[in-house]
């Protein structure tokens, strides 16, 4: 898997951020065409929080947006108890750093049943636990509404 960014955190980047955001689900940046199975979105989110994209500005709202149609897998390509622990650690990192998560796409509704028979919705639970939100609709309208609700 590769980790990349279309917009780095920087001061006064509203115009360039809007340019990149407006590409969401267009010919430039189509959504929903990923292969079946888990995806390394948790790894990417951890990279964003840890400073890969530059530091969050101290006075800015800290939000990560995850658009996915699957559960996260880290480097194993499997969502299992290890992935659950990695997502819990990421959630804790968000809480400590004051980062809220917005999860968009079908991945927000996918359930996981652990070895004890407990069923959860990992991405939705993660978003809510960070003070963020989720939607199964990966479009700019839901993203805008989510940003207005949590910022």
């Amino acid at each position: 898997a590769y980790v990349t960014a279309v917009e780095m955190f920087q001061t006064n980047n509203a115009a360039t951020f809007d340019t990149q955001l407006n590409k969401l689900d267009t010919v430039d940046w189509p959504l929903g065409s990923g292969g079946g199975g888990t995806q390394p979105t948790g790894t990417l989110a951890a990279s964003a929080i840890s400073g890969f994209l530059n530091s969050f500005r101290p006075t800015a709202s800290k939000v990560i947006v995850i658009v996915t149609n699957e559960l996260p897998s880290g480097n194993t390509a499997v969502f299992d108890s290890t992935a659950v622990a990695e997502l819990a650690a990421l959630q804790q990192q968000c809480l400590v750093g004051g980062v809220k998560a917005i999860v968009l796409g079908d991945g927000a509704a996918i359930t996981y049943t652990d070895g004890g028979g407990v069923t959860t919705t990992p991405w939705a639970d993660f978003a809510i636990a960070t003070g963020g939100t989720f939607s199964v609709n990966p479009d700019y309208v839901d993203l805008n509404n989510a940003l207005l609700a949590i910022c």
Side-chain angles (χ1 to χ4, degrees):
Y2 296 95
V3 176
T4 190
V6 295
E7 181 70 17
M8 302 297 277
F9 296 139
Q10 55 190 317
T11 303
N12 299 319
N13 68 324
T16 57
F17 177 81
D18 284 347
T19 298
Q20 297 303 339
L21 182 61
N22 288 333
K23 293 179 182 178
L24 188 63
D25 206 17
T26 66
V27 173
D28 294 323
W29 193 2
L31 300 176
S33 60
T38 61
Q39 300 169 348
T41 45
T43 302
L44 178 59
S47 296
I49 294 166
S50 68
F52 168 73
L53 302 173
N54 294 334
S55 298
F56 285 102
R57 294 189 317 264
T59 58
S61 296
K62 298 170 181 77
V63 178
I64 59 170
V65 179
I66 299 165
V67 182
T68 184
N69 61 353
E70 274 297 342
L71 292 174
S73 65
N75 293 322
T76 64
V78 175
F79 191 82
D80 57 11
S81 60
T82 300
V84 169
E86 290 172 352
L87 197 56
L90 180 61
Q91 175 183 313
Q92 185 60 32
Q93 193 176 2
C94 286
L95 291 171
V96 168
V99 179
K100 297 176 182 179
I102 298 172
V103 179
L104 300 176
D106 292 338
I110 295 176
T111 59
Y112 169 73
T113 304
D114 68 17
V118 176
T119 300
T120 61
T121 49
W123 273 130
D125 296 347
F126 170 78
I128 296 300
T130 66
T133 189
F134 68 93
S135 173
V136 295
N137 298 314
D139 60 35
Y140 70 92
V141 173
D142 279 30
L143 175 57
N144 188 59
N145 290 339
L147 288 167
L148 289 172
I150 67 172
C151 290

